[in-house]
Amino acid sequence: MNLLKRASLYTVRKIGKSVVLFLLLFLLTTLVTVGFSVLDAAQKSAASLRETVGASFSIQGKIDELSFEEDGTGYTANTALLTEQDIDAIRGERRIKAYNAVQMSTACPIGLFTLSGREDCPISANTETTWNSYFSMGILELTDGTAITANHSMSAIISGAFAEENNLTIGSKLFLSAYSANDTETKIGLEIVALYASDPSMEFDDDTVFLTHDAYWKLTNTSPQTYSGKVSFIVNDPLELDNVIEQIKQLDGINWDNYIFSKSNESYEAISYQLSTLERLTAILISVSAVICAAILFLVLAMRVRNRVHEAGIMLAVGISKSNIIIQYMAEVGVLLALAFIVSYFASTSITAGIAAYLQKLIGIVDITIAPCSLFLQYSCEAAVTGIAVIIASIPIIHLKPKDILSKID
């Protein structure tokens, strides 16, 4: 009787033990496959996160002069300015991909009604409104039109509510007026290029007008190409944020003692912490499940071989070599292992799809896939470990002679 036939007959005859061994191999394979798939997805998501989630630092001038009005009702604060030349020098750092300068003030909309009933409304001058924290964090969202960029001139973005209140649309003219420090009134006309809506759950003044810097300089009678507010620089890699800041501070020609640096990487830190926690838990799950299942597998195989000592003695007595007996044992386990691989693949695919759906709700888009090359490597390692376990479990047969084995049987 050939080796494969003996292996098949034993598997069928001991169907109960074969099912137990199959389930153990299936469980081990599925746990490891799912674990490595989730671990790989977490690592890829972390790498993708570094490219997509904004991390930035901002530079703002310190107050270098503070003057109070004679009647005590107000004050004027002058801060150190950043110039266009300074910004160009900072942007020379290759790890910075974009920037947005923000300057804030107030102005009076001419012939229009504010939602709050006040005469004036907040204005916010931006280089790129896409990188304004209100838009990047989802507090505000453009509902129509295009974001302000460095290519726009004398342009504005207003809220849909403010536009509806005053019968304004994209392309309409918005006129603003403001008084400078010497009480000189300046009026400007802006073209509305977009409308925004604010998150109802957040407190935001929908009277706010976002405009270009050329409009701000003209309206406030301040020097062009200078920035009195906060200038934010977005870096390519959040992990490089601290290093980039240190490099910027080494630039010559700017007295950095007059400026305040601040970091903004809360979104990245929050999501990356969840991903790193997921990686650690997955690695622990893989390690623990692999060790436990491997130990149980060895015990099952050891029991399986020990219960067949008499059978092995008879086979040795009729001239079947020890190597053939061990190969038969491997063939028996190999058939079950191959079947476990097939069933586990489909089970793992379903499980990873469910995990991906859950993680998408928790931390955003996570693509969990079972890579063929990783699967082949895993299956090869499992087959090798299982073969070694069979050999170790067969040591009693390897060391004993046929008469020694048969003499142990009562």
Side-chain angles (χ1 to χ4, degrees):
M1 187 182 299
N2 63 43
L3 183 148
L4 291 178
K5 188 174 182 180
R6 290 198 308 270
S8 301
L9 289 174
Y10 181 84
T11 300
V12 174
R13 183 165 58 88
K14 300 291 184 178
I15 189 65
K17 293 181 179 179
S18 298
V19 169
V20 171
L21 182 57
F22 163 77
L23 292 176
L24 179 60
L25 293 171
F26 166 76
L27 179 62
L28 171 62
T29 303
T30 303
L31 285 175
V32 174
T33 301
V34 172
F36 275 117
S37 297
V38 173
L39 182 61
D40 180 64
Q43 292 171 343
K44 289 180 179 177
S45 296
S48 175
L49 178 70
R50 290 164 58 181
E51 298 178 0
T52 57
V53 175
S56 64
F57 67 93
S58 60
I59 303 175
Q60 186 170 18
K62 295 179 181 178
I63 296 176
D64 56 14
E65 183 180 344
L66 185 64
S67 58
F68 291 90
E69 295 181 5
E70 294 182 359
D71 57 4
T73 58
Y75 65 90
T76 301
N78 294 324
T79 61
L81 303 177
L82 273 178
T83 66
E84 197 75 41
Q85 184 178 2
D86 297 333
I87 292 176
D88 288 340
I90 296 171
R91 291 181 63 200
E93 166 58 56
R94 57 181 177 78
R95 289 168 291 183
I96 294 176
K97 64 180 179 181
Y99 84 99
N100 182 48
V102 178
Q103 300 185 97
M104 303 289 293
S105 187
T106 59
C108 296
I110 300 175
L112 302 175
F113 299 99
T114 61
L115 299 173
S116 63
R118 300 191 310 267
E119 291 185 359
D120 61 359
C121 62
I123 60 172
S124 172
N126 288 256
T127 311
E128 305 264 356
T129 52
T130 299
W131 298 111
N132 184 288
S133 59
Y134 287 113
F135 287 97
S136 62
M137 294 178 65
I139 298 174
L140 301 181
E141 180 182 3
L142 287 185
T143 57
D144 197 6
T146 59
I148 285 177
T149 67
N151 297 324
H152 283 88
S153 176
M154 302 301 288
S155 303
I157 298 176
I158 62 175
S159 70
F162 183 84
E164 184 178 359
E165 177 71 19
N166 294 281
N167 296 317
L168 298 173
T169 60
I170 292 178
S172 298
K173 279 290 185 178
L174 172 67
F175 295 93
L176 299 176
S177 68
Y179 286 90
S180 59
N182 58 4
D183 289 336
T184 301
E185 184 182 17
T186 303
K187 298 179 181 180
I188 61 171
L190 305 173
E191 180 184 358
I192 299 173
V193 296
L195 303 177
Y196 70 82
S198 60
D199 186 341
S201 63
M202 307 295 290
E203 293 185 2
F204 184 81
D205 190 345
D206 283 343
D207 285 329
T208 303
V209 177
F210 295 90
L211 44 81
T212 52
H213 285 293
D214 60 343
Y216 176 88
W217 291 319
K218 186 174 182 180
L219 183 64
T220 57
N221 284 316
T222 51
S223 300
Q225 314 305 318
T226 61
Y227 301 88
S228 59
K230 181 182 294 186
V231 184
S232 299
F233 298 88
I234 297 86
V235 299
N236 290 312
D237 188 346
L239 295 182
E240 295 282 347
L241 185 59
D242 291 329
N243 185 260
V244 170
I245 292 175
E246 290 305 314
Q247 284 295 115
I248 296 303
K249 290 182 177 179
Q250 303 304 316
L251 292 176
D252 296 328
I254 304 176
N255 185 4
W256 294 115
D257 291 336
N258 294 331
Y259 299 92
I260 299 172
F261 282 78
S262 58
K263 297 187 296 183
S264 177
N265 60 344
E266 295 82 3
S267 298
Y268 172 77
E269 291 291 343
I271 302 178
S272 64
Y273 176 77
Q274 293 177 325
L275 286 174
S276 62
T277 301
L278 177 62
E279 287 185 45
R280 290 194 298 270
L281 292 177
T282 304
I284 293 172
L285 173 64
I286 294 173
S287 302
V288 172
S289 61
V291 170
I292 292 176
C293 289
I296 295 175
L297 175 63
F298 173 75
L299 291 175
V300 169
L301 291 174
M303 292 285 292
R304 185 184 178 94
V305 172
R306 193 176 75 172
N307 292 334
R308 302 174 66 182
V309 172
H310 183 237
E311 175 190 342
I314 295 175
M315 293 171 68
L316 289 171
V318 297
I320 299 175
S321 66
K322 293 178 180 179
S323 60
N324 279 344
I325 295 174
I326 295 174
I327 293 174
Q328 176 187 329
Y329 293 166
M330 287 185 177
E332 294 168 3
V333 177
V335 171
L336 297 175
L337 184 61
L339 183 60
F341 287 163
I342 296 172
V343 178
S344 173
Y345 174 78
F346 294 103
S348 300
T349 303
S350 299
I351 293 172
T352 52
I355 294 175
Y358 172 74
L359 292 178
Q360 285 175 3
K361 296 179 182 178
L362 185 65
I363 57 177
I365 297 176
V366 177
D367 183 21
I368 303 180
T369 57
I370 300 177
C373 57
S374 300
L375 204 60
F376 176 78
L377 180 61
Q378 176 197 330
Y379 286 176
S380 299
C381 292
E382 281 191 49
V385 170
T386 303
I388 294 171
V390 171
I391 293 173
I392 294 174
S394 303
I395 289 178
I397 296 175
I398 296 174
H399 288 307
L400 293 176
K401 297 179 179 179
K403 64 179 182 178
D404 295 327
I405 294 176
L406 295 174
S407 66
K408 292 177 178 293
I409 306 300
D410 295 333

